[in-house]
Amino acid sequence: EEKRDTPTFEGDLPPVQRFMADQAPPIARPRRVYLDIETDSRVPFSRKEDMRVLVWCLVDEETGEAQTGTLTEDSDRAERELLEQFWQALAPYDQVCAWNGDRFDFEVLKVRSEKRGLRIQHRRWLWLDQLELFRRMNTMAAESGDEKQSFSLEAIAQAVLGEGKMDFDSAKSWEAWQVGDPRLVAYCQRDTELLRRLEAKTGYIELLQTLSEACGSFPDTRGINPTSQVEAFLLRLGAQRGVHFPTRHRLDETPAPFKGAFVMEPTVSGIVEHVHVADFAGLYPNIILTWNMSPETKAVIELPQSPADLPAYYRNTDYAKQVREKYEAAKRVVPEGCCVAPLTGIAFKNEPQGMLASAVAELIQLRKEWNARKAAAVPGSPEWKEADRRSTAYKIAANAFFGVVGSSVSRFFDRDVAESVSQAGVWLIKETIKAAEEQGLDVIYGDTDSLFVTGCTRADFEKFVAWCNAELYPRIIAGTGTPRNSIKLAYEKAFRRIVFVTAKRYVGFFLHYKGTEAKHDGKPEVKGLEYKRGDSVRAARQLQGEVIELLRDGTDPEPFIAAVEACRDRMLNGPLELADVVVSKRLSKPLRGYSTKKKKDGTDAAGQPHVAVARILQGRGRDVGEGAKIEYVCIDGESKPKKYLPAEDWAGECDRHELWESAVYPPTQRVLEAAFPGAGWAKWERSRPPKPAKPRRAAPVAGPDSPQGDLFRLVGR
């Protein structure tokens, strides 16, 4: 049909998704179970389909009761019996949760069952990788990079629960099974119980369940993706209103990027005192509502001839000037029944409400209702927790809409709508900054939906925010032709002191937050610094964390210098642990997708360290699939290319100078130079002793018998 230029709609939907959209059945709370397995440790991860299953364990969500199964002998028949027992035990449940399940447990069970001739309908269950869910939910909640350094079950359990796995070497699981070591089953059961306890502490699976109920998606690994949640919600809403969306196709070319958010470089340096911050509440969802932005509400505006279409020889003529004036005047005219998006000039019909705006409006209304229920419930009660989860779920879903409409892989992608949303945000914050400066406020920083201001009292800033909401926004927004206005500025917080490193990178200590006075020793707000990142070395995070704590009250550089020198001495001369020196980076695509560039002489150019190490690990059968975290250590930073080895090969040695100069000190140096500019922090950036200079070759002495003899005799005369 499409070869005949016939448009098709939602032709790519599988039957189950079609049913979910058309019938909108309620998503019941699934019967949940936690899973872990132990397998033949002699087989490398790269051949996990060849790993015989030795032990399985299931732990019931409701009762905490554990069921286990153990291989009776090393035979295919015994493994088939073990797997039959497993599937029978799994039958009463709907949702199966495992740590790293998608990459290991689920795949191994599926393949081994097929090899043993068991015909299992895997779609009968919801398979949820608890690691992936934790990674997504915990990204913003984590207070430091230490919590992101490793997503192993041991690391996360220690961080969240304060205790971890049983002391047992899983690399010797085969040997343990051979001798009937009871610790093998106990180890598997302990891991499975940790999954249940992690959920009891975090509530992330329940939050996903609430999101699934709100959007009409499934609480499995695929349902973690915001695109899946928003798509399910919009398809359901479209079916209710008789609206269908275009079939999603694989794009041959990536669409041109659209203009993004406004980011203002900080205008101040050093330690800044008393900074007030205002944020737009739900900026992008409220922009969609205010201008009724949706792909189907776009209005076609007939514009006169564009000056860009004129031949070059008309460029400086009076005729070109007239064309330009007519064109610009036409762009400023708001079509009847429409509003015009700021900066892009794209018009949207005011009525009826678009699908995108309707979806956002419904989610915002639902969040208000559940916030009201939360306020009416006893804090900590089951009713309060349920209301809190639902309020959070609706907020997450509403904020995900812009990302979906701006993603080229989404069926709802529309470049005009996405750019109109982001540029309306740019227009609003720039108009707010302009108004603030006109009223004598000093705007020192702005980013997407917030502005940072000094030079006023708390009362002054509260008055300015109230004026923006009551007068500024109603006036300028009405000028665009829209009858609605959902834009609101909120005075959220103030910093007692703050240090800007660059745009999007700062550390601030609260004066008050959402109306509550902050404690002097309260946790600072840290944005964009290595202290919050999991791919930096531990020593770098520790030094930067120490400097951040000193910034709470420090004004004298001397304590900072002492901290730097102490850390430098330890890194160059003291004992080091692997965590101090290991660097980790995740593979963002399959290993085969990384190409090796060639130098002019035909040899391989130095590639990314984590890719080179991943290729070494691939040869050992390790997990190097897309998303795998590769850990490595630099052992020689002077060679070309630099030499790295896998973290598992570390024997206590590394290039300490490379570690200090490239990984540990630079993150802290940037903070110190921002806090105390001109204090000479470059003094500590180099630690490697200079190479001894090669002796110069002595020049021959000229004389009468030398090749310069004639010149020698001439000069002599």
Side-chain angles (χ1 to χ4, degrees), residues 95 125-129 208 212 218-225:
Q95 185 185 50
W125 290 272
L126 297 167
W127 302 95
L128 176 61
D129 190 333
L208 176 64
S212 300
F218 290 109
D220 55 11
T221 305
R222 184 177 180 276
I224 296 173
N225 193 317

Side-chain angles (χ1 to χ4, degrees), residues 34-39 45 48-49 51-53 55-58 83 86-87 90 96-113 122 127-131 153 165 187-188 191-192 195 623:
Y34 298 95
L35 161 72
D36 190 43
I37 62 173
E38 302 303 326
T39 57
F45 187 93
K48 57 180 178 284
E49 65 278 2
M51 291 179 172
R52 194 184 292 286
V53 178
V55 177
W56 59 259
C57 180
L58 296 174
L83 292 170
F86 167 75
W87 292 112
L90 197 63
V96 189
C97 308
W99 199 263
N100 203 31
D102 283 357
R103 300 173 68 88
F104 186 73
D105 304 69
F106 303 156
E107 183 66 19
V108 169
L109 287 168
K110 179 181 178 182
V111 173
R112 297 304 296 179
S113 296
H122 294 87
W127 302 95
L128 176 61
D129 190 333
Q130 203 168 341
L131 182 154
L153 180 57
K165 297 158 71 82
Y187 175 75
C188 185
D191 282 4
T192 319
L195 302 184
D623 177 13

